[in-house]
């Protein structure tokens, strides 16, 4: 395509719920409520893992990182979504779109790697408990967490750098609530084969490899738990990894549901499915960050005790 005579796109229009304006106020209240729960729940988890000395262990260090990541991930997109529900003209600058894509992509990739690191932590704790203090020393688990952030950030930098180099010279309407990278790539007036291949490789590395690693880790974990002679011992061992396993199932289960469901061939059904796909994608970005602190609080007596201590301390100081 000859793009020399076409004007370069300097901003994008986020369509969101433009075709369904009556739904905007309802979803504004719903999304805002979920976002506040995310900030509160994950904020409390970060606070207790820092303040309570009993939680200064590798597992809770990773959990603190996961909570911070969830806050960053939702904050990179939710304010933009909420603003779109209230603004008559839903626009975002090209540079703002690039920054938002980078943050969302980086946080998503980092979470995949971090969940794999947490699976390794549980594997060592249950399968090699005597070596756990040596294998998961501070000199090991801090670099593990840092490498998760670096890997996610590097991958995002590569993907977004490739995306922003594309010429955008025609339609500037993104059929989404945010600058979702696949929706943005559809607007490029150039071949996006390199981008598709690059994202495919990244998906294998940041989705496939961690899933395989987590799966193998839990095979060893379950086989070790089943060899424990007492029922009480098995229950105690499983309780130390049940919260992480639940989060993994929700995180990857939602991804499989999003990308594995069949597409409608009926034009009328396609419009409804298009709306459903956008909403599912939006709520996917909120569901896991909202449930993570709830799951870890309900399934972990140490966290529950730390939260109670923090609450009672605040009451005494008032």
């Amino acid at each position: 395509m000859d793009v020399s005579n076409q004007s370069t796109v300097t901003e994008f229009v986020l369509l969101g719920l433009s075709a369904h304006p009556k739904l905007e106020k309802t979803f504004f209240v719903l999304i805002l409520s979920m976002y506040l729960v995310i900030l509160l729940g994950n904020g409390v988890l970060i606070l207790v893992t820092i303040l309570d000395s009993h939680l200064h262990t590798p597992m809770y260090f990773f959990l603190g990182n996961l909570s911070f990541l969830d806050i960053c991930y939702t904050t990179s997109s939710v304010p933009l979504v909420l603003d779109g529900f209230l603004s008559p003209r839903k626009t975002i600058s090209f540079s703002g779109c690039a920054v938002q894509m980078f943050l969302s992509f980086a946080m998503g990739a980092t979470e995949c790697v971090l969940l794999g690191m947490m699976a390794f932590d549980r594997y060592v704790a249950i399968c090699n408990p005597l070596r756990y203090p040596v294998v998961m020393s501070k000199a090991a688990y801090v670099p593990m967490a840092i490498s998760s952030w670096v890997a996610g950030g590097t991958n995002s930098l590569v993907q977004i750098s490739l995306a922003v180099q594309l010429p955008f010279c025609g339609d500037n309407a993104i059929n989404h609530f945010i600058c979702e990278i696949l929706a943005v790539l559809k607007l490029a007036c150039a071949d996006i084969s390199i981008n598709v291949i690059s994202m495919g490789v990244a998906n294998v590395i940041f989705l496939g490899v961690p899933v395989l690693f987590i799966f193998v880790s839990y095979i060893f974990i379950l086989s070790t738990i089943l060899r424990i002679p007492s029922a009480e011992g098995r229950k105690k061992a499983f309780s130390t990894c049940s919260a992480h396993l639940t989060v993994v199932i929700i995180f990857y289960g939602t991804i499989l549901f999003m990308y594995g469901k069949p597409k409608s061939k009926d034009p009328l059904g396609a419009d409804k499915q298009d709306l459903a796909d956008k909403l599912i994608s939006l709520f996917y970005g909120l569901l896991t960050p909202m449930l993570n602190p709830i799951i870890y609080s309900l399934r972990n007596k140490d966290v529950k005790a730390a939260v109670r201590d923090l609450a009672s301390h605040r009451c005494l100081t008032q």
Side-chain angles (χ1 to χ4, degrees), residues 4-226:
S4 58
N5 296 324
Q6 309 236 14
S7 58
T8 303
V9 170
T10 58
E11 66 176 16
F12 293 104
V13 177
L14 301 169
L15 296 181
L17 288 174
S18 299
H20 308 273
K22 291 181 180 179
L23 296 176
E24 290 186 332
K25 288 183 180 178
T26 302
F27 278 102
F28 175 86
V29 174
L30 182 58
I31 301 300
L32 178 61
S33 301
M34 294 178 73
Y35 182 51
L36 292 175
V37 170
I38 289 167
L39 293 179
L40 178 63
N42 287 287
V44 168
L45 265 184
I46 293 170
L47 204 58
V48 297
T49 55
I50 292 172
L51 297 179
D52 195 315
S53 58
H54 296 98
L55 302 184
H56 291 176
T57 63
M59 182 175 76
Y60 296 112
F61 178 76
F62 286 130
L63 179 57
N65 273 262
L66 185 65
S67 292
F68 180 67
L69 187 150
D70 283 339
I71 289 175
C72 292
Y73 179 71
T74 51
T75 302
S76 70
S77 58
V78 172
L80 180 64
V81 174
L82 294 175
D83 181 63
F85 287 146
L86 298 178
S87 304
R89 181 162 173 78
K90 306 161 178 53
T91 59
I92 183 171
S93 67
F94 187 90
S95 57
C97 187
V99 170
Q100 191 262 304
M101 283 194 297
F102 170 79
L103 292 173
S104 296
F105 215 91
M107 297 304 109
T110 301
E111 182 155 1
C112 291
V113 180
L114 196 59
L115 288 173
M117 298 291 188
M118 294 173 79
F120 178 73
D121 171 71
R122 293 299 84 206
Y123 161 76
V124 178
I126 292 172
C127 300
N128 296 286
L130 296 178
R131 296 195 62 207
Y132 183 75
V134 177
V135 176
M136 294 303 296
S137 64
K138 192 171 184 178
Y141 69 75
V142 172
M144 285 170 68
I146 292 172
S147 66
S148 299
W149 288 90
V150 171
T154 302
N155 172 59
S156 182
L157 187 63
V158 170
Q159 304 305 330
I160 305 309
S161 296
L162 290 172
V164 297
Q165 289 177 31
L166 293 168
F168 295 90
C169 49
D171 186 13
N172 70 334
I174 299 173
N175 189 22
H176 213 285
F177 298 98
I178 58 173
C179 287
E180 200 270 334
I181 190 165
L182 292 176
V184 172
L185 289 178
K186 289 178 182 178
L187 304 180
C189 47
D191 182 36
I192 59 169
S193 301
I194 298 297
N195 302 77
V196 172
I197 294 169
S198 177
M199 288 183 67
V201 172
N203 286 340
V204 170
I205 296 171
F206 287 92
L207 283 174
V209 173
V211 166
L212 182 62
F213 186 79
I214 291 167
F215 180 73
V216 172
S217 296
Y218 272 100
I219 288 177
F220 284 109
I221 287 170
L222 290 174
S223 64
T224 301
I225 290 174
L226 292 173

Side-chain angles (χ1 to χ4, degrees), residues 218-250:
Y218 272 100
I219 288 177
F220 284 109
I221 287 170
L222 290 174
S223 64
T224 301
I225 290 174
L226 292 173
R227 288 200 300 269
I228 297 173
S230 68
E232 186 62 31
R234 288 195 296 271
K235 183 181 177 182
K236 186 178 179 182
F238 185 73
S239 68
T240 64
C241 59
S242 60
H244 174 258
L245 186 58
T246 304
V247 168
V248 166
I249 291 171
I250 292 172

